[in-house]
Amino acid sequence: MNIKCSLENESFKYVYGVRNKKFVPDENRKLSLTCARNDRAAVQLLLYSENDMLVCVNGDPSFYEMGPLDILRVSADIPGIGKDNIDIRLIGLVEDDDRQLKADMLLDASVIHVEGGRVQPVWIETAIGKDVRPGLYKPQITVYGHRMFEDEAILRTMEFEINVLELVLEDPREYGFYLDLWQHNSNIARKYDVDLWGAGHFKIIENYIASLANLGQKAISVVVSEIPWSGQYSFLDKIDPANLYEYNIIKVSLDKNGRWSYDFSKLNRYVDLCMKYGINEEIEVFGLMNIWLDEAEGFGRVIKDYDDGVRIRYFDECSQSYKYIQQLNDFESYLCALEKNFIGKGWIGKVRIVADEPQDIEHFIEKKNLIRNAAPNFKFKVALNSSSFIQKNIEGISDYVIILPSICRNYDEFSQARDRVEGRLSYYVCCGPDFPNTFICSHLLEARSIPWLAWYLKLDGFLRWNYTVWPNDPVRKITYHYPYFKAGDTNFVYPGKDGNPMLTLRYKSLQKGIRDYEIIRCYAEEIKDLNKIDNLIKKVFLWNDIKELHPESRKNSTELFSFNYEDYEGIINELMKDIVKNRKN
């Protein structure tokens, strides 16, 4: 078999398409990684052949339905640690908006057919436990090959180095970085064809909660009215619309005597489940204000004498039919009951009523006051595409999340207002800016740099609206409604088999960046040399003024960020070694 192999770092993204150059592997490349205990170390193995092949990552028998061809099997071991701590995943390619195929999915399949002339990347990740002895380890990768009924033969053996330091990292649930990835659970139910909020749905949801917890997620998202984002306006796309509606987790009914009842059991179950996994800092409540409207398309207001689009569906026992609350006093009763439930569960201090990109300050204040009159214990959180709100110091707003370009444009004013914020102050990216971001087209080091940027800007963390906002068939086609949504804008993971999420290279890169943030934070708390941190970070943040990061500066991403993997590794490794040295002294 004439195959070629090489090792690449974890931030490598293979591209296959009309613009890609012919793959030239460096079979002699050496990789040396440094990590802590309770940490991860990952590389990519690249396999190439001029002929079609099957690539396998476990010991199951595999034959190709079209007949004989070369079959490769990848195995790995770490002397001193063992095979059980190694995760080997085939990396799947997805079509980007430019029609090229780009590496993204960590597949749950164990075998893949690879056409001749195309590279197959393989993700190889080692989990370094808390009890692993510090020292140098040399993971060994073996590529076996055979055809039909031949005995397997070793085609290649490769190794890389992992230098494990004495430092032990905290578990993700203990992280200081404030990660807030919004959850869209109705979409999960649709993709797996299970009853919304049924037992099967919750079983699958738990797998997704676990994947969020492994990132260090802090916030719980609950939707308490019908379709607050109006399906992301998918109905405007007449060619390729997608079902992106999110539905109320609370069941509401009106009995024959005119008494309202509210079933909070599914809401409470979801919150309890998240808290079981350490996601317990905040309960963000969507659907009570700043509803997305499109009157012309029928997505308008429902409650009379209320200038917002809150849609609360209920079952009317008298008529045995479903209706929507139309009276303002009934909405206020709903608010009061929701507040009472949160108080009874002991969660009210964690609850934040979220307004997603409100535009009119006076309109927002009016709606906030109405909600607080009915439920005075509620606090508010706003995701803003302008920093104007934060300068008004509006009573009742606890937490602010500002889109990155607005921070960059008005950084001086933003810095002055920061001290007036009662709660947390974070930033977000969404459909923009072009960089840094987490699109399929984005360099993977952009996702890694996102937590670094939060540290640089002295912010608490990062928010993104997506996690599972999949279009109709995301595994087959993740491109959707371009250019409004760039490919990958809607998701960090894909729906996998058996109710498990398929993670992505982007997920892994963000995870690595959050881990970096924790190391930076540890260094700052223990050694307190903030000047050194700032000077080191300037090796990867190449601008002189934060305003250069605003899209209006018309700078290229390579002018603003280092996309050299070794630069990031070098900085973090130096900080880790300093922490270890400081603790010994």
Side-chain angles (χ1 to χ4, degrees):
M1 296 180 187
N2 185 18
I3 68 162
K4 297 178 180 178
C5 309
S6 66
L7 293 178
E8 266 292 355
N9 65 65
E10 61 194 296
S11 68
F12 176 79
K13 182 182 288 188
Y14 174 63
V15 178
Y16 180 74
V18 295
R19 297 179 182 177
N20 67 297
K21 298 179 181 178
K22 186 177 177 65
F23 174 65
V24 180
D26 181 359
E27 298 199 80
N28 297 314
R29 183 174 185 190
K30 304 297 183 183
L31 288 181
S32 182
L33 308 178
T34 299
C35 66
R37 293 184 286 175
N38 199 28
D39 200 357
R40 301 170 185 269
V43 299
Q44 294 185 44
L45 170 67
L46 307 183
L47 300 172
Y48 177 84
S49 174
E50 293 288 344
N51 303 314
D52 284 19
M53 59 182 174
L54 289 185
V55 178
C56 312
V57 292
N58 69 12
D60 293 343
S62 296
F63 287 83
Y64 184 49
E65 57 266 31
M66 298 297 290
L69 79 175
D70 295 338
I71 301 174
L72 276 58
R73 180 172 66 88
V74 178
S75 179
D77 189 14
I78 306 181
I81 296 180
K83 290 185 175 182
D84 293 342
N85 292 346
I86 301 176
D87 186 29
I88 305 177
R89 300 276 175 177
L90 295 164
I91 298 176
L93 309 186
V94 298
E95 184 179 304
D96 199 357
D97 299 310
D98 62 4
R99 303 300 303 276
Q100 298 191 98
L101 301 179
K102 298 176 183 177
D104 191 44
M105 288 186 281
L106 300 183
L107 300 174
D108 49 21
S110 62
V111 60
I112 190 170
H113 171 256
V114 186
E115 62 189 65
R118 177 164 148 178
V119 172
Q120 178 56 50
V122 180
W123 180 263
I124 300 175
E125 180 177 274
T126 303
I128 307 297
K130 294 180 181 180
D131 298 328
V132 170
R133 183 176 300 174
L136 184 65
Y137 295 85
K138 295 185 177 182
Q140 298 173 353
I141 300 169
T142 304
V143 180
Y144 297 88
H146 78 285
R147 193 177 181 92
M148 295 301 287
F149 310 111
E150 298 173 347
D151 293 342
E152 279 190 333
I154 294 176
L155 303 180
R156 295 286 191 281
T157 56
M158 312 178 79
E159 69 176 22
F160 60 98
E161 294 182 346
I162 302 177
N163 181 25
V164 179
L165 302 180
E166 198 169 335
L167 177 67
V168 180
L169 300 185
E170 293 181 325
D171 293 330
R173 67 172 57 200
E174 306 298 330
Y175 285 174
F177 183 77
Y178 201 84
L179 180 65
D180 181 6
L181 302 180
W182 290 353
Q183 297 114 61
H184 293 72
N185 289 310
S186 297
N187 210 345
I188 292 176
R190 281 191 292 273
K191 293 302 176 289
Y192 289 96
D193 195 21
V194 294
D195 291 339
L196 185 63
W197 312 124
H201 189 202
F202 271 99
K203 183 178 180 180
I204 294 169
I205 284 174
E206 184 166 2
N207 298 329
Y208 283 80
I209 291 172
S211 70
L212 284 164
N214 288 336
L215 289 172
Q217 171 78 5
K218 302 300 183 186
I220 303 166
S221 303
V222 293
V223 174
V224 298
S225 70
E226 309 300 345
I227 63 170
W229 294 283
S230 293
Q232 305 294 333
Y233 297 146
S234 172
F235 50 83
L236 297 177
D237 187 339
K238 304 304 182 184
I239 305 300
D240 187 25
N243 188 342
L244 302 179
Y245 297 117
E246 287 297 314
Y247 297 109
N248 195 351
I249 197 170
I250 299 166
K251 297 299 181 184
V252 183
S253 60
L254 182 66
D255 70 18
K256 295 179 180 179
N257 297 314
R259 292 188 296 260
W260 291 101
S261 63
Y262 313 99
D263 182 358
F264 297 111
S265 61
K266 300 299 191 296
L267 181 149
N268 296 339
R269 180 178 177 181
Y270 182 69
V271 173
D272 281 329
L273 189 57
C274 289
M275 290 185 172
K276 168 186 170 183
Y277 283 85
I279 304 174
N280 56 16
E281 293 291 320
E282 175 187 352
I283 304 169
E284 49 191 1
V285 179
F286 297 93
L288 297 180
M289 65 187 316
N290 202 57
I291 307 306
W292 292 16
L293 302 174
D294 191 323
E295 300 277 1
E297 295 285 342
F299 292 82
R301 297 165 178 81
V302 178
I303 299 175
K304 298 175 182 178
D305 302 320
Y306 187 59
D307 190 21
D308 207 336
V310 177
R311 305 141 182 166
I312 301 171
R313 185 173 182 258
Y314 68 94
F315 183 71
D316 182 3
E317 293 184 0
C318 186
S319 66
Q320 290 292 296
S321 62
Y322 286 96
K323 300 179 180 179
Y324 284 84
I325 287 178
Q326 296 187 26
Q327 302 302 319
L328 184 57
N329 64 313
D330 292 332
F331 174 49
E332 291 171 333
S333 297
Y334 180 70
L335 292 171
C336 184
L338 183 61
E339 178 195 45
K340 184 177 179 180
N341 176 73
F342 283 130
I343 292 173
K345 296 293 292 185
W347 297 334
I348 192 64
K350 300 177 186 292
V351 173
R352 298 293 183 270
I353 309 303
V354 180
D356 186 7
E357 296 187 344
Q359 303 299 313
D360 186 305
I361 293 178
E362 295 307 318
H363 182 266
F364 169 84
I365 292 174
E366 179 185 346
K367 303 312 161 196
K368 173 191 70 72
N369 289 342
L370 185 146
I371 292 172
R372 292 202 84 180
N373 286 338
N377 291 288
F378 282 154
K379 293 183 178 181
F380 294 79
K381 173 179 177 177
V382 287
L384 300 168
N385 53 17
S386 169
S387 59
S388 58
F389 270 62
I390 195 173
Q391 298 168 16
K392 297 294 183 179
N393 198 28
I394 300 171
E395 188 270 337
I397 300 180
S398 176
D399 304 86
Y400 293 84
V401 193
I402 318 296
I403 196 168
L404 180 58
S406 182
I407 295 175
C408 297
R409 171 184 282 166
N410 306 298
Y411 187 67
D412 293 339
E413 296 177 4
F414 172 80
S415 298
Q416 294 172 6
R418 180 168 44 203
D419 295 337
R420 299 198 296 268
V421 175
E422 173 190 339
R424 300 180 184 90
L425 183 58
S426 300
Y427 82 100
Y428 74 96
V429 300
C430 53
C431 307
D434 287 341
F435 50 83
N437 218 307
T438 59
F439 307 130
I440 302 298
C441 65
S442 303
H443 196 291
L444 286 172
L445 286 173
E446 292 181 43
R448 184 173 181 178
S449 73
I450 280 172
W452 293 50
L453 191 55
W455 176 270
Y456 182 88
L457 296 173
K458 298 179 175 60
L459 300 174
D460 294 305
F462 172 73
L463 177 152
R464 213 178 189 296
W465 71 283
N466 71 331
Y467 195 65
T468 60
V469 196
W470 303 302
N472 288 340
D473 191 359
V475 175
R476 183 186 65 85
K477 181 183 178 184
I478 198 57
T479 57
Y480 174 67
H481 202 36
Y482 179 80
Y484 185 73
F485 295 113
K486 289 188 175 182
D489 189 13
T490 61
N491 72 308
F492 265 115
V493 297
Y494 294 83
K497 62 186 180 182
D498 299 329
N500 289 294
M502 283 194 293
L503 306 184
T504 64
L505 296 178
R506 293 173 292 132
Y507 172 105
K508 287 295 183 180
S509 191
L510 178 63
Q511 184 180 47
K512 189 68 175 281
I514 295 170
R515 165 261 198 188
D516 295 342
Y517 178 100
E518 295 305 310
I519 292 168
I520 294 171
R521 182 175 65 89
C522 180
Y523 179 94
E525 291 176 354
E526 295 190 17
I527 300 180
K528 298 180 172 60
D529 189 351
L530 300 184
N531 287 331
K532 179 171 181 176
I533 295 175
D534 289 343
N535 290 331
L536 288 174
I537 286 180
K538 288 178 182 177
K539 294 180 180 179
V540 296
F541 292 166
L542 307 180
W543 60 83
N544 296 313
D545 187 324
I546 190 64
K547 292 180 180 179
E548 296 177 56
L549 204 53
H550 193 282
E552 291 177 357
S553 71
R554 299 185 182 279
K555 294 277 184 90
N556 295 322
S557 60
T558 52
E559 297 177 86
L560 299 169
F561 296 91
S562 167
F563 292 140
N564 182 0
Y565 176 79
E566 283 72 23
D567 287 344
Y568 291 81
E569 288 292 286
I571 292 169
I572 293 301
N573 293 346
E574 183 173 343
L575 295 180
M576 286 197 295
K577 290 175 181 177
D578 284 353
I579 294 170
V580 171
K581 183 178 179 181
N582 181 68
R583 290 180 178 179
K584 287 182 176 180
N585 293 336

